Amino acid sequence: MPTTANIEHRALAIACLSGALLCAGEAMAEPMRVTPSLRVAQTYVDNVSLSRPGREEDDFVTEIAPSVTVVRETPRLDLEAYYQLEYLQFLEEPDSSQTFHQAQGHAAYIAVPDWFFIDGALGFGQQVISAEEPVPLNNLTTSDNRTDYVSWSFNPYLEHRGPGAELLASYEWGGVEYQRAAVSDYRQTDGRVRLQNREGERRLWGAEYRRRELDPDQGSEAVLSTLEGRLGLALTAKLAVSGVVGYEENDFSGVADEEGDYWAVDTRFDPTTRTRIEARYGRRYFGDTGSLYLRTRNRTTEVSASYAEEFTSGAEVLVGRSGAIDSVARIPSDTGLDTAVYFGRRWMLRSETETGRSTLALFGYRELRDYETLRRDERVFGVGGDWAWRVAPLSTLYTELERQEREFERIGRDDTVWVMDLRLEQRLTAKAVGGVGWFHTRRDSSDPAAEYRQNMLTIFARMTF
């Protein structure tokens, strides 16, 4: 059960969002769009607890999941909120029946136009505890390797575009709390001040100071700070080059500080209105460093590729979920609910193609994680894709395939996880959809005791009101 401290911090996060709403004043007179919906489903699961081959137990699961989405857009306030209650009834093992809750909310408020802004976010859901154990990819699997979590962030910031410069000063609080007492809760702060040239100017300049504090309830705290300056020139309307010099100081509790100066050369190239390339090469106290971002599109296809390096932690990724690999992948990329800081090197590739009747999305990623306070490294590699094909005016076929390879250096094990999902949906009315689906996941491992297989057959209906 959540502790008293958990409840208090959840109340704080909700209060932050509520405060932003109350400050909206007359803007609250604008109407809200409220969309309730309901999903009902019956699923047969052939391995309900992800047991190793030969020990599987099957079950029938009834799912009832009402939800509501709320959207409000005004000149000074944007609000989005989603909540779902998920009730699961197990036929063979009634004691496994339970209710889950998922919620996401975000509010952006313009407190003083052109000067002061407030952003807030709140999330509640379920998270896998450790990828070393069997990994439940949905709540229809009975598992002790899962916990409820609440994540929150609150960010007041000053942003102003003057006649010759742009100013940004922000300070963000965030955190994650887990229902399981054995999992460490986590807090973070991220403060920055930046002064730079206005967008579109030929002469490029800027200075920035940033300080991040990553503070788990258990484990080592980390304080990461940088101070840098930038000078550059837009050589043409399509090409800009700038040089960066700075100093960074990284304090990992219990480990010697890591600090030193750094330099980099940044390049931005826009060969066409539909293509952008951003690249960085430089040197930090530990060696060569760099980043890359490429995006291009034509009438039917958009492709993006990136490489990034950053000190972070699994908990920090959960607070700011938009940058995570899991935003495009079904299989979690986190090894566990670690609050330890690691230096991550991540490659990502994604493409999406839309035609008149289908949408095809492909992705791949590879991440190397070097932990600063733990004696281990991690390697994760994944590829996948999903395809939506309108087979008839009211019928759509959805297919998904994903593969992930993972090295567990700590326990000396290598795993390969597969996910296959096939679903046919039929629009019944303007607000009702029905369908059938097959879901399969499997884990192959260098340790046979860690292997499992699971299949699900589902019939479902979804309605909005």
Side-chain angles (χ1 to χ4, degrees):
M1 295 294 294
T3 65
T4 301
N6 286 6
I7 295 173
E8 290 175 351
H9 283 96
R10 292 180 195 181
L12 173 63
I14 295 171
C16 291
L17 288 177
S18 301
L21 299 181
L22 292 175
C23 290
E26 296 180 0
M28 293 300 293
E30 298 288 336
M32 288 193 301
R33 297 197 302 272
V34 180
T35 307
S37 63
L38 174 67
R39 171 186 163 90
V40 293
Q42 186 69 45
T43 302
Y44 169 74
V45 187
D46 69 351
N47 185 6
V48 73
S49 58
L50 296 179
S51 301
R52 59 188 296 185
R55 300 183 179 179
E56 301 94 335
E57 295 183 356
D58 62 354
D59 208 333
F60 287 90
V61 185
T62 300
E63 175 186 3
I64 303 174
S67 64
V68 62
T69 301
V70 179
V71 177
R72 179 191 291 276
E73 296 176 348
T74 74
R76 296 180 61 179
L77 173 69
D78 288 339
L79 169 67
E80 295 181 65
Y82 170 81
Y83 168 75
Q84 175 176 275
L85 181 149
E86 182 183 24
Y87 173 72
L88 301 177
Q89 175 69 44
F90 290 78
L91 179 64
E92 299 293 336
E93 295 291 339
D95 291 343
S96 298
S97 302
Q98 46 186 320
T99 300
F100 297 94
H101 304 269
Q102 298 94 32
Q104 295 290 333
H106 176 260
Y109 176 58
I110 302 175
V112 180
D114 299 324
W115 280 97
F116 187 56
F117 307 83
I118 300 174
D119 281 358
L122 179 67
F124 186 89
Q126 290 71 51
Q127 180 78 1
V128 173
I129 296 175
S130 173
E132 296 178 2
E133 303 298 325
V135 177
L137 299 181
N138 52 56
N139 291 332
L140 277 70
T141 300
T142 59
S143 174
D144 291 329
N145 189 30
R146 178 173 55 216
T147 182
D148 288 339
Y149 76 90
V150 57
S151 65
W152 57 274
S153 66
F154 180 65
N155 180 23
Y157 62 98
L158 177 72
E159 186 174 33
H160 182 68
R161 293 173 173 83
E166 297 181 0
L167 171 67
L168 172 68
S170 72
Y171 194 81
E172 180 179 9
W173 294 269
V176 183
E177 296 176 355
Y178 302 100
Q179 186 181 38
R180 292 285 189 91
V183 182
S184 176
D185 295 337
Y186 167 87
R187 306 286 181 274
Q188 72 177 45
T189 61
D190 187 351
R192 70 174 66 194
V193 178
R194 182 174 67 226
L195 184 67
Q196 66 180 25
N197 61 278
R198 284 182 62 95
E199 185 176 355
E201 292 188 357
R202 188 160 183 260
R203 294 181 179 85
L204 310 177
W205 59 270
E208 179 177 83
Y209 174 73
R210 183 183 185 190
R211 177 185 171 92
R212 297 154 61 204
E213 296 184 8
L214 314 180
D215 184 16
D217 287 356
Q218 306 171 27
S220 301
E221 179 185 5
V223 180
L224 314 174
S225 59
T226 58
L227 175 64
E228 70 176 38
R230 173 191 304 271
L231 286 174
L233 188 66
L235 302 177
T236 69
K238 297 181 178 181
L239 177 64
V241 179
S242 59
V244 178
V245 294
Y247 188 84
E248 64 180 313
E249 183 176 351
N250 303 317
D251 179 10
F252 306 104
S253 300
V255 179
D257 294 352
E258 298 179 355
E259 58 185 286
D261 52 19
Y262 62 90
W263 63 266
V265 177
D266 289 349
T267 303
R268 189 195 75 240
F269 181 45
D270 300 328
T272 71
T273 57
R274 296 184 174 185
T275 301
R276 164 158 289 196
I277 303 172
E278 298 177 359
R280 163 177 283 206
Y281 173 76
R283 191 165 184 84
R284 298 169 70 173
Y285 65 87
F286 52 78
D288 293 344
T289 184
S291 64
L292 174 68
Y293 171 75
L294 181 150
R295 179 181 59 83
T296 185
R297 60 184 175 88
N298 58 26
R299 187 175 58 85
T300 61
T301 302
E302 180 171 328
V303 178
S304 63
S306 65
Y307 169 73
E309 301 176 347
E310 185 180 21
F311 285 101
T312 187
S313 69
E316 185 180 33
V317 169
L318 186 58
V319 173
R321 213 37 155 165
S322 59
I325 289 173
D326 305 322
S327 61
V328 296
R330 174 79 69 94
I331 307 170
S333 64
D334 302 328
T335 294
L337 300 184
D338 282 332
T339 55
V341 175
Y342 61 82
F343 184 71
R345 299 175 174 88
R346 178 188 300 174
W347 294 260
M348 293 191 68
L349 176 66
R350 180 173 175 82
S351 71
E352 183 170 322
T353 301
E354 286 192 41
T355 64
R357 297 180 60 185
S358 71
T359 301
L360 174 65
L362 303 173
F363 65 87
Y365 60 87
R366 178 175 175 82
E367 184 164 10
L368 313 181
R369 300 178 183 139
D370 300 323
Y371 282 83
E372 298 299 314
T373 58
L374 303 177
R375 294 181 176 272
R376 75 166 189 259
D377 299 331
E378 296 175 355
R379 306 290 183 266
V380 183
F381 169 76
V383 294
D386 54 80
W387 179 43
W389 177 38
R390 195 172 71 249
V391 296
L394 299 178
S395 303
T396 304
L397 177 67
Y398 297 90
T399 61
E400 180 180 352
L401 176 63
E402 186 177 341
R403 181 179 188 269
Q404 183 189 90
E405 297 179 1
R406 185 190 295 271
E407 300 176 11
F408 294 100
E409 184 181 80
R410 188 185 72 85
I411 58 177
R413 196 181 85 198
D414 296 338
D415 288 353
T416 300
V417 180
W418 290 88
V419 165
M420 287 164 276
D421 194 358
L422 184 65
R423 186 173 76 255
L424 179 63
E425 292 191 358
Q426 174 72 32
R427 179 155 296 281
L428 305 175
T429 69
K431 295 187 175 182
V433 173
V436 295
W438 169 69
F439 175 83
H440 172 79
T441 184
R442 60 181 288 173
R443 182 165 75 182
D444 301 322
S445 176
S446 59
D447 179 6
E451 296 185 341
Y452 57 79
R453 311 283 186 273
Q454 184 186 65
N455 292 281
M456 296 184 181
L457 295 174
T458 301
I459 181 171
F460 64 89
R462 186 176 64 252
M463 295 148 282
T464 57
F465 305 94

